[in-house]
Amino acid sequence: MKLENGRYSLYGNAISRKETKQVQKWQNMFKKKFNYDENETYNLSLVDNEQLGPIFGLKNIVRDQDGEPIEPGKAVIVSTIRMGFGHYRIAMAGVSAAKAMGFTPYWLDLLSIPGMPTDIINFCNTNYSKFSRISQKSSWFNKHIWEPVTTGEKTLPGLNAFLNSWIVGWPWRFLKTNIKDYKMSELIGNLHKNLPSDMPMLTAHMWNCMAAVSGGMTNVVDMMFDNWPMAFQLTEGAKHAVQSPSGYYGFRAMRGFDSEGKILKGTPSDAIYFTGHHVDHELVHNIEADCKARVDRARKGAPRRFMITMGGAGAQKELFKAVIDHAIPLIKENKMTLFVNLGDHAGNWNWLKEEVQEYQELITTHFDWEDTRTFVDSIRDGEASGLHIFLHDNTFHAVYATNYLMRVTDIMITKPSELAFYPIPKIFNERVGGHEMWGAVRGAEVGDGTVEVATIPQLLQAVDLLTEETDLLEMFCDCIVKNKSIGIYDGAYHSVALATGTEFDRSKLIN
C-alpha cells in the first residue's frame, strides 16, 4: 500500500482524498482507544499445541519468552484468527499440508496474543457477529443491509449512499474497504518484527496477511477464503492463493472493486495464483477409499450417514431443528444415521437437548476428543446408527471433529461457507451473507454438492433424495474422485509450495 498525492492506493489504484482521510481517522481511533505504542515489542516463543500437536507436531506461537525459541529451519507459520470456524479450518488445511510436505507447522492465532491484536480484532468481531445475528432475525436487514455489505451489490438508494459514506458500513468488495482494513491491521505489524522476516507464512484471514506484510514479512501467502472476489482480501506485498478460476479472474481484474463502477488496474500476475481448494492432506489423500466406502454402504442398504454442523451464533436454529425432526423417523427406520457437531458451543447444546428430549433412546453424546476419535475409528469399517451429538471444550477439537467425521460421513449439510470446498457430498442450505452464495455455485459446478437449497422444504427434499436413492451420491463421489485427479483439492499443498519456494510433488508426501 502506498500514499501518493494524499491518497492511499493498492496496486496503482487510489481511493479519494476524502476516503483517505476517513481511513486515517479510523486508524487513529484504534490508536487512541487501545493506547497504541509504535515501539512496542513482542517476546514470542513456542509451546506445544496440546490438541493438534499429537496429530501434526503443531506448536503454538505465544507472547511469552519462557517457551522454546522460534527456529526458522523447516518451519512454516500458519497465521489465523477465530471468526467463526472457517478461518481456523483453512489454517488447519495449511498445517496438514505443511506436515505432509515435510515441514514443521507453527500456529499463530492473533487472538491469543494479548495487546493490540486481541483488542482490535475483538472490537471488529463484535460488530461482525452482531450484524450477522441480526441478519438471521430480520429478512429486511438481511436483504437491504447485510447482503449488500457482504457483496457490494446496490441496495435502496438512500441506504446505499449511507452505507458507502459510513466507514463501518463500507461494503467488503470495494477498494476503500481494503485500505481501511490494511491501516487497521498495520497496528498489529509490530508483532511480526519479532519473527524472522523471510520465514514462510500462510495466512487464513486478510488481517493476518496485512499485519504480517506491514511488519516486514516477505514470504507471505494468503490462503483466500470464499468464492466471491472482494477487494478487502488483497494485500500488496503478499502472494494470494485463490481457490477457483472465477475467483482468480475476479481478483486479477479487480472486477467491481470500485464503488462507482470504474475499471481498475488488475492485480499483478505474480501476486495471485489459482491453487485449488484449501483441503487437509488426510482428506485429499484418502478420497478414493472414502468415496468407495460411501458407495459401497449405499449399495448395501446401510443407513445413510449425514452430518450437520451448527455455528456459535446459533443462526438457522429453525432449519437445524427441522432437519433433526425430519431425520428422527428415518433414524428409527434404520435408513439414516445423523451426526450433529455443535463445535465448542455449549449454549447450543442447552437449547438442543430440550428440543430432542423425547428422543433420548436414539441419542449418543460425544463430549471429549478421545471418545470422538474412538467412535469414528470404530465405524470406519463398522456400522453406525442413531443420533450422535458432538461437543468439545476447545476450538481445535471442535473444528477438527468435523474433518475427522468427514471421512466416515456420506453427506454433509452445510451453509456454503468454507466447508463448500471440501471433498465430501454436500447439501448446501441457505447462506448467511451474500458472499457465501458463490461457494454453493462452485460446489454445484464441480459436482460435489447440490445447488443452494434456500428453503426448508427444498432442504428436506434433498435429504430424502439422498437417503432413498443412490444415484446422486454415486454421481457426487464420482465427481470428487475425478476432481482429485485434476488437482481441484490441492490448494493447501500449493500454498505451502508458494511460501517455501518448493515444488508440490504428490509422490513425495508423507502419509
Side-chain angles (χ1 to χ4, degrees):
M1 178 176 298
K2 298 176 182 177
L3 178 63
E4 297 178 342
N5 299 318
R7 302 165 67 187
Y8 286 120
S9 66
L10 174 71
Y11 296 125
N13 300 288
I15 61 174
S16 69
R17 287 183 174 84
K18 178 181 177 181
E19 290 163 347
T20 295
K21 290 179 180 178
Q22 286 178 280
V23 165
Q24 195 58 59
K25 287 181 180 179
W26 179 251
Q27 187 192 62
N28 290 339
M29 181 271 292
F30 284 109
K31 286 182 176 180
K32 182 177 180 180
K33 185 177 184 67
F34 299 121
N35 299 313
Y36 174 67
D37 178 5
E38 65 180 355
N39 297 313
E40 183 177 14
T41 59
Y42 293 75
N43 294 312
L44 304 175
S45 62
L46 298 172
V47 297
D48 291 336
N49 181 295
E50 294 180 5
Q51 293 80 24
L52 298 187
I55 301 172
F56 299 115
L58 185 64
K59 294 181 180 293
N60 293 340
I61 296 177
V62 295
R63 188 172 188 177
D64 184 347
Q65 58 188 359
D66 296 330
E68 303 173 32
I70 296 173
E71 300 288 349
K74 287 275 287 182
V76 175
I77 298 172
V78 183
S79 180
T80 189
I81 58 173
R82 175 171 178 170
M83 180 179 276
F85 281 171
H87 303 286
Y88 253 54
R89 192 172 305 287
I90 294 171
M92 286 183 186
V95 164
S96 177
K99 179 180 181 294
M101 294 171 70
F103 296 96
T104 300
Y106 293 167
W107 186 271
L108 174 59
D109 180 353
L110 293 183
L111 280 171
S112 71
I113 306 295
M116 292 301 292
T118 304
D119 293 338
I120 289 175
I121 295 169
N122 278 334
F123 176 90
C124 295
N125 263 346
T126 298
N127 285 331
Y128 171 84
S129 297
K130 182 190 302 180
F131 293 148
S132 180
R133 286 185 175 93
I134 295 173
S135 76
Q136 296 307 296
K137 295 177 181 178
S138 169
S139 58
W140 187 93
F141 183 92
N142 186 60
K143 178 180 179 180
H144 296 296
I145 296 179
W146 191 238
E147 290 247 341
V149 166
T150 58
T151 64
E153 299 297 336
K154 291 186 181 297
T155 183
L156 302 173
L159 184 56
N160 195 73
F162 170 72
L163 290 175
N164 274 282
S165 62
W166 179 45
I167 194 167
V168 177
W170 284 358
W172 302 348
R173 192 178 180 187
F174 297 150
L175 185 67
K176 58 189 177 183
T177 307
N178 174 284
I179 308 294
K180 177 194 80 169
D181 282 8
Y182 186 93
K183 295 303 290 183
M184 177 193 75
S185 303
E186 202 172 43
L187 304 182
I188 310 174
N190 283 1
L191 180 154
H192 301 82
K193 294 177 181 177
N194 293 267
L195 297 167
S197 61
D198 60 350
M199 195 167 178
M201 175 179 281
L202 306 179
T203 61
H205 193 283
M206 65 278 179
W207 295 340
N208 300 73
C209 186
M210 292 169 172
V213 169
S214 69
M217 303 293 286
T218 57
N219 286 322
V220 182
V221 173
D222 192 25
M223 299 175 71
M224 303 182 88
F225 56 91
D226 287 333
N227 190 35
W228 176 241
M230 298 176 282
F232 80 157
Q233 291 198 59
L234 292 169
T235 303
E236 191 165 354
K239 295 178 180 178
H240 302 88
V242 185
Q243 299 192 75
S244 72
S246 61
Y248 181 92
Y249 176 79
F251 283 114
R252 183 76 169 83
M254 288 203 183
R255 178 182 174 273
F257 288 3
D258 182 81
S259 58
E260 302 300 324
K262 293 189 298 185
I263 301 300
L264 300 178
K265 298 176 183 177
T267 302
S269 60
D270 62 355
I272 188 165
Y273 300 82
F274 165 49
T275 57
H277 299 188
H278 305 318
V279 180
D280 309 63
H281 164 70
E282 55 273 25
L283 293 171
V284 178
H285 178 69
N286 291 291
I287 278 175
E288 293 87 352
D290 293 344
C291 282
K292 181 179 184 303
R294 292 179 184 117
V295 173
D296 287 348
R297 283 193 294 269
R299 290 176 178 174
K300 291 175 183 176
R304 203 75 84 243
R305 300 174 179 181
F306 282 78
M307 173 168 55
I308 186 168
T309 62
M310 190 173 189
Q316 303 179 312
K317 281 185 177 178
E318 180 185 0
L319 179 151
F320 204 79
K321 180 64 164 52
V323 169
I324 293 176
D325 285 344
H326 189 76
I328 292 300
L330 297 171
I331 292 172
K332 289 180 176 178
E333 295 170 20
N334 210 33
K335 291 183 177 180
M336 178 193 289
T337 301
L338 182 60
F339 306 138
V340 178
N341 186 13
L342 300 176
D344 58 1
H345 311 301
N348 286 343
W349 173 234
N350 293 335
W351 165 78
L352 182 60
K353 65 183 176 184
E354 296 299 321
E355 302 292 330
V356 298
Q357 58 183 338
E358 60 186 291
Y359 312 130
Q360 290 301 315
E361 74 281 2
L362 301 175
I363 298 174
T364 304
T365 58
H366 307 272
F367 289 176
D368 69 76
W369 178 247
E370 286 306 314
D371 180 52
T372 294
R373 187 176 65 176
T374 298
F375 169 72
V376 172
D377 290 345
S378 73
I379 65 170
R380 200 174 302 282
D381 298 312
E383 298 179 352
S385 60
L387 172 59
H388 295 261
I389 312 292
F390 299 85
L391 177 68
H392 295 89
D393 63 2
N394 66 86
T395 306
F396 292 100
H397 286 153
V399 176
Y400 196 66
T402 295
N403 293 23
Y404 210 68
L405 280 160
M406 268 188 222
R407 291 197 53 207
V408 299
T409 298
D410 298 324
I411 301 109
M412 181 167 60
I413 302 172
T414 180
K415 67 187 183 76
S417 52
E418 207 51 44
L419 283 171
F421 298 92
Y422 276 70
I424 178 175
K426 294 172 288 286
I427 297 173
F428 292 120
N429 60 251
E430 185 181 12
R431 64 185 180 267
V432 179
H435 60 300
E436 291 186 351
M437 174 175 67
W438 295 92
V441 172
R442 175 63 176 168
E445 287 302 310
V446 301
D448 61 11
T450 68
V451 297
E452 181 181 352
V453 288
T455 68
I456 288 176
Q458 290 177 3
L459 172 60
L460 300 183
Q461 178 198 34
V463 170
D464 286 341
L465 283 171
L466 280 154
T467 300
E468 301 288 351
E469 307 288 344
T470 63
D471 59 321
L472 285 169
L473 180 66
E474 291 184 17
M475 180 184 71
F476 290 152
C477 287
D478 183 56
C479 287
I480 289 169
V481 172
K482 290 177 180 176
N483 291 343
K484 177 183 175 179
S485 72
I486 58 174
I488 280 181
Y489 305 117
D490 289 345
Y493 301 127
H494 288 298
S495 296
V496 174
L498 282 172
T500 58
T502 59
E503 295 291 331
F504 165 51
D505 185 341
R506 195 183 303 279
S507 67
K508 295 181 180 179
L509 294 174
I510 302 170
N511 299 321

